[in-house]
Amino acid sequence: MELFRGVLLIWVSVMFSIQINSSNVHGRYHYHKKQKGKESSVPSSPVSEPEVAPPPPPVPSTPSNNPSVPSDPTTSECIFDVTNYGAIGDGSTDDTAAFREAWKAACAVESATVLAPSDKTFIVTSTIFSGPCQPGLVLQVNGILMPPDGPESWPEADSHKQWLVFYRLDDMTFTGSGTIEGNGQKWWDLPCKPHRGPNGSTKSGPCDSPAMIRFFMSSNLVVSGLTIQNSPQFHMKFDGCEGVHIEKISISSPKLSPNTDGIHIENTKSVGIYNSMISNGDDCISIGTGCSNVDIDGVTCGPSHGISIGSLGVHNSQACVSNITVRNAVIRESDNGLRIKTWQGGTGSVSDISFENIQMENVRNCINIDQYYCLSKGCTNQTSAVYVTGITYRTIRGTYDVLTPPIHFACSDTVACTNITMSEVELLPYEGELLDDPFCWNAFGTQETLTIPPINCLQEGKPEKVAEVSQFGC
């Protein structure tokens, strides 16, 4: 019996040893399987025992004033949550430092995401998020992001002209399901704003208000999904950029909020703005000098001041805008529809502009070229002007406000507008009697179909001095 027990113990010991070795081999197999397709920086040792564990992956730097350690990007898909860097998100604490630290850490990692999580309200003061960064950087706002509430709460050392600035970035995305809240009301109420002073007056003096979001000298940008509202001034600006894609965003501020342009682009090329809704107190979309290859499709504007090219040529400057397409858009309850505005005395050109399939709903100045744009009564006539040519209006239908004629072409005395094409333009009064007196001055073009109202003032052919306009080209 004792002999049987001894044999049994030896057999159990051997089987237990085999099981342990089998487990070790199995575990090593799965480790190497996970590493398939990746070269190890350390060659595997030919000696199986003892096995050395691989070094742990790097961890983003931890802010010195925050004891918590940010999430390891290798286990969280490179997500840098601002709350791991000290952001509170209670709507009253200044979270600027946390956003800057999270940005700094994510900037060094390819395809990283800076995350502002939902169900939190973050306050950030005026900040420049600068590059260059590794490609694929994403700023994802799922909560609420907002600046201090009004000029009295704005830090004195901070710029009063801009809030969030994105500078020298390439291949960057600004997205999320959250809201960028501008807290604009106290800025709009400043007495230096239009008609905000005593008895409806406007006080003179400096009246800087911050643009909400500015992209500067950057390329290959995407802005999508966000709700952007109540900016103190422009909601979103692009200056000196190339390759911009904007899709499925919502921009809103009250109809009487001053200078709250929705999207403004300047010196920016290759832009697409798609499937978005914009209502505000100024231009829905404004296109400044230096812009080309801009495609706008599926945008709803209003209330607003419509879609504008300009103003251009201020202070006798040169302005060049070309190859702009606006299609499948709706403009409603707006002071202007499709507008091109230039100052007298400028040079350059606006060329190859196409407006197609636009629906108007109770809009003043539905179709407007104004080469006498002026913000005061002190503007004088000048012989030089920005040359406007190759403008097409095709399938423009809807209703207009009878306070002003729906079609207005006021071109320069010396530099005529040329190659204007009108096709399937049908505009009826929203209420009241039909206005049948579109205005034209020194405007030349073609009517492919009869327009409603009739535009008999558009001159056929070309002006006698057309050869002289070449000096105004770009």
Side-chain angles (χ1 to χ4, degrees):
M1 191 66 175
E2 291 296 325
L3 178 62
F4 176 79
R5 288 180 179 176
V7 172
L8 180 60
L9 288 173
I10 293 172
W11 180 82
V12 170
S13 177
V14 171
M15 293 303 295
F16 183 73
S17 176
I18 293 173
Q19 181 67 25
I20 289 175
N21 290 335
S22 175
S23 297
N24 288 339
V25 172
H26 186 69
R28 285 196 298 272
Y29 168 76
H30 275 285
Y31 170 74
H32 289 296
K33 187 176 182 180
K34 289 179 183 178
Q35 300 299 314
K36 184 178 181 180
K38 298 183 181 179
E39 289 188 20
S40 174
S41 58
V42 180
S44 59
S45 171
V47 180
S48 59
E49 294 294 337
E51 183 172 338
V52 179
V59 178
S61 59
T62 306
S64 58
N65 61 346
N66 176 26
S68 64
V69 178
S71 301
D72 180 354
T74 62
T75 59
S76 58
E77 299 180 354
C78 298
I79 294 176
F80 294 74
D81 189 325
V82 295
T83 61
N84 288 337
Y85 289 81
I88 305 301
D90 59 2
S92 59
T93 302
D94 183 355
D95 292 320
T96 307
F99 272 79
R100 290 175 178 172
E101 290 293 340
W103 177 272
K104 182 179 179 181
C107 181
V109 179
E110 186 173 348
S111 300
T113 296
V114 177
L115 175 64
S118 59
D119 301 323
K120 290 183 179 294
T121 299
F122 302 96
I123 292 182
V124 175
T125 59
S126 180
T127 300
I128 298 176
F129 295 102
S130 62
C133 293
Q134 291 296 315
L137 181 59
V138 176
L139 174 56
Q140 182 170 332
V141 177
N142 292 342
I144 298 173
L145 184 61
M146 64 185 186
D149 187 15
E152 292 185 0
S153 301
W154 205 265
E156 289 187 11
D158 286 358
S159 170
H160 279 60
K161 295 185 177 181
Q162 54 196 20
W163 176 40
L164 301 180
V165 180
F166 300 93
Y167 175 58
R168 288 193 178 276
L169 295 166
D170 179 62
D171 189 13
M172 182 257 175
T173 297
F174 190 15
T175 188
S177 58
T179 298
I180 315 299
E181 168 60 56
N183 288 336
Q185 184 65 55
K186 294 179 180 178
W187 297 93
W188 307 330
D189 290 340
L190 290 173
C192 55
K193 294 293 184 180
H195 312 297
R196 295 290 179 174
N199 300 317
S201 64
T202 299
K203 286 188 175 181
S204 60
C207 198
D208 289 336
S209 297
M212 201 165 171
I213 300 165
R214 183 188 183 200
F215 289 89
F216 182 47
M217 295 182 66
S218 297
S219 58
N220 302 313
L221 305 168
V222 175
V223 181
S224 66
L226 294 164
T227 296
I228 304 169
Q229 62 189 33
N230 299 323
S231 176
Q233 203 210 40
F234 288 16
H235 285 79
M236 191 157 48
K237 296 176 66 175
F238 295 84
D239 189 2
C241 298
E242 183 167 4
V244 177
H245 183 96
I246 302 170
E247 186 163 15
K248 294 181 180 178
I249 67 170
S250 171
I251 294 177
S252 64
S253 61
K255 184 177 182 178
L256 297 180
S257 56
N259 305 120
T260 53
D261 290 46
I263 300 171
H264 176 74
I265 62 175
E266 189 168 331
N267 298 309
T268 294
K269 299 174 174 61
S270 301
V271 179
I273 305 174
Y274 305 115
N275 304 317
S276 297
M277 300 189 69
I278 303 172
S279 61
N280 57 313
D282 211 303
D283 292 339
C284 168
I285 299 172
S286 55
I287 300 171
T289 186
C291 293
S292 62
N293 301 325
V294 178
D295 185 32
I296 301 170
D297 191 345
V299 171
T300 298
C301 294
S304 71
H305 291 186
I307 297 175
S308 293
I309 297 175
S311 61
L312 305 173
V314 65
H315 304 312
N316 305 108
S317 61
Q318 184 186 53
C320 299
V321 176
S322 63
N323 194 20
I324 311 295
T325 299
V326 181
R327 52 197 168 131
N328 306 320
V330 176
I331 303 176
R332 57 168 62 105
E333 305 292 335
S334 296
D335 287 351
N336 294 281
L338 308 169
R339 179 165 60 156
I340 300 172
K341 49 185 179 179
T342 71
W343 295 77
Q344 293 189 74
T347 60
S349 67
V350 177
S351 62
D352 299 320
I353 313 297
S354 175
F355 302 106
E356 184 173 357
N357 194 25
I358 313 295
Q359 182 69 30
M360 304 280 184
E361 298 177 12
N362 193 22
V363 175
R364 295 181 63 184
N365 304 309
C366 295
I367 295 174
N368 189 349
I369 298 177
D370 181 7
Q371 294 211 269
Y372 299 87
Y373 184 74
C374 180
L375 295 178
S376 69
K377 296 181 179 179
C379 297
T380 58
N381 288 335
Q382 299 187 48
T383 56
S384 180
V386 177
Y387 177 36
V388 177
T389 184
I391 317 298
T392 299
Y393 303 93
R394 191 179 305 278
T395 316
I396 315 295
R397 295 189 171 97
T399 59
Y400 63 89
D401 187 325
V402 296
L403 290 176
T404 55
I407 302 172
H408 185 91
F409 294 144
C411 300
S412 167
D413 288 338
T414 54
V415 186
C417 302
T418 63
N419 297 325
I420 297 173
T421 300
M422 307 288 286
S423 178
E424 297 187 57
V425 176
E426 300 176 4
L427 298 169
L428 300 172
Y430 180 73
E431 58 184 10
E433 296 182 1
L434 177 69
L435 286 179
D436 58 356
D437 56 346
F439 176 82
C440 305
W441 180 259
N442 210 18
F444 291 78
T446 302
Q447 295 186 65
E448 292 183 350
T449 64
L450 295 177
T451 63
I452 301 175
I455 181 167
N456 300 321
C457 58
L458 183 65
Q459 302 180 64
E460 295 183 356
K462 296 182 179 180
E464 295 179 1
K465 298 181 180 180
V466 68
E468 298 177 9
V469 301
S470 58
Q471 61 182 304
F472 300 103
C474 292

